[in-house]
Amino acid sequence: VVCFILILLVLKNIIMKKYLFLVLLISFSTFSQSKEALQIATKKLYEANFVLDFEGIKELTYPKVYVGIGEAAFLEKLENDFQNSDYRMRLQLEKVPFIFSEIKTMEGKTFCVVRLRNPKRYSFESKLSASSIEEKKNWLKQREKTQSVIFEPNRNSFSVRSDSRYVAIFDLETFGEWKFFNLDDAYQLASFTSLFDETIQNTLGID
C-alpha cells in the first residue's frame, strides 16, 4: 500500500510538472504571438502615416478616439493635419526602428508604449517673411515638442527633428487586435488621458 501511494505521489508530481510546463509554454507562445502582432501593427501604422493613408491610420487607431466626432470628421482632421491651405507635412524617413516598452496589463487591458525617431518636413504654401519664419518656428517647437526646427529658405520649409510616441492597446474594444493612440496629436493625447486614469498614465510614463 505504501509503495502504491508513493507511486501515485510520484506520478502526480510528474503530471503537475508537465501541466506547469504546458501552461508556461502556452503563455510564452501567446505572448510571442501578441508581441509579433504588435510589431507588425506598429509598422503598418507608421507606413500609413508615411504614405498618407488616412483610412489605414483610422483603422489602426483606438476606436474610442473618434467615436465622439465620427469617422468622417476624424478622417478630415487627419488630412488637415498633413495638408491644408497653409502647409504640407510629410514624414522624412520611409523606415524607422521602433523601441517597445515592456508590455503591461492593467485593469484588463494590455498596453505598450512605442517610441521612434520621427523627423518631419513642413512645407509652406506662401512665401514666408522674416517675421512669419520666427512665428512658424516657435509654433513648430511647441507643436512637435522639440528645439530642433531648421528653416530651409530654398524650400520655404522647416526640417523638424523630433521623436514620437504611440501607445498600443489590446482589449475588448479592439476585438483582439492592437490599436493605437498617436501622442504627437494633442487631440489623441487628450483622449488618452480622459479614458485612462493617472495610475495607468504614470505606470506607462505618460505626462
Side-chain angles (χ1 to χ4, degrees):
V1 174
V2 174
C3 290
F4 180 72
I5 293 173
L6 288 173
I7 292 171
L8 286 177
L9 288 172
V10 170
L11 287 173
K12 180 181 179 182
N13 188 42
I14 292 172
I15 291 170
M16 287 301 295
K17 284 183 178 179
K18 286 186 176 180
Y19 175 75
L20 179 61
F21 174 76
L22 183 61
V23 169
L24 290 173
L25 183 63
I26 292 172
S27 299
F28 178 77
S29 177
T30 302
F31 175 79
S32 297
Q33 290 173 6
S34 179
K35 189 172 183 180
E36 182 181 1
L38 170 60
Q39 293 169 339
I40 292 171
T42 304
K43 184 172 180 288
K44 285 182 178 178
L45 177 62
Y46 182 83
E47 289 174 348
N49 277 272
F50 185 81
V51 301
L52 311 188
D53 177 7
F54 304 123
E55 186 68 36
I57 295 172
K58 179 189 72 68
E59 288 301 315
L60 286 161
T61 299
Y62 193 73
K64 284 190 175 180
V65 168
Y66 51 80
V67 68
I69 62 174
E71 294 185 14
F74 182 69
L75 287 169
E76 184 178 345
K77 179 193 176 305
L78 285 174
E79 183 169 4
N80 189 68
D81 287 341
F82 277 88
Q83 50 196 22
N84 51 61
S85 59
D86 191 24
Y87 66 82
R88 288 168 286 116
M89 186 272 284
R90 299 291 186 268
L91 307 189
Q92 294 195 62
L93 300 178
E94 186 174 358
K95 296 180 180 180
V96 296
F98 304 111
I99 300 172
F100 297 91
S101 73
E102 178 186 351
I103 295 176
K104 299 179 180 180
T105 299
M106 295 173 280
E107 299 180 10
K109 301 174 184 293
T110 303
F111 300 85
C112 184
V113 178
V114 185
R115 301 178 187 274
L116 56 145
R117 184 167 58 94
N118 195 13
K120 302 168 186 174
R121 180 179 303 283
Y122 285 78
S123 301
F124 285 82
E125 301 298 342
S126 300
K127 185 70 175 176
L128 297 178
S129 64
S131 60
S132 60
I133 289 171
E134 286 305 308
E135 178 187 329
K136 299 298 185 186
K137 180 181 289 188
N138 291 331
W139 171 71
L140 286 169
K141 286 180 179 179
Q142 183 178 13
R143 175 184 174 91
E144 296 291 342
K145 299 179 179 63
T146 181
Q147 291 299 309
S148 183
V149 179
I150 300 170
F151 182 64
E152 298 178 346
N154 294 337
R155 296 187 175 188
N156 196 46
S157 68
F158 291 89
S159 178
V160 180
R161 295 178 63 182
S162 63
D163 297 325
S164 293
R165 289 182 303 172
Y166 303 149
V167 176
I169 302 181
F170 183 98
D171 65 7
L172 293 177
E173 295 287 340
T174 68
F175 299 100
E177 297 180 347
W178 286 98
K179 303 291 183 178
F180 298 84
F181 286 83
N182 183 348
L183 300 189
D184 284 0
D185 183 347
Y187 173 76
Q188 292 193 41
L189 176 59
S191 295
F192 179 83
T193 56
S194 69
L195 288 169
F196 302 103
D197 61 32
E198 288 188 7
T199 300
I200 289 176
Q201 294 174 41
N202 292 338
T203 302
L204 296 176
I206 306 301
D207 46 25

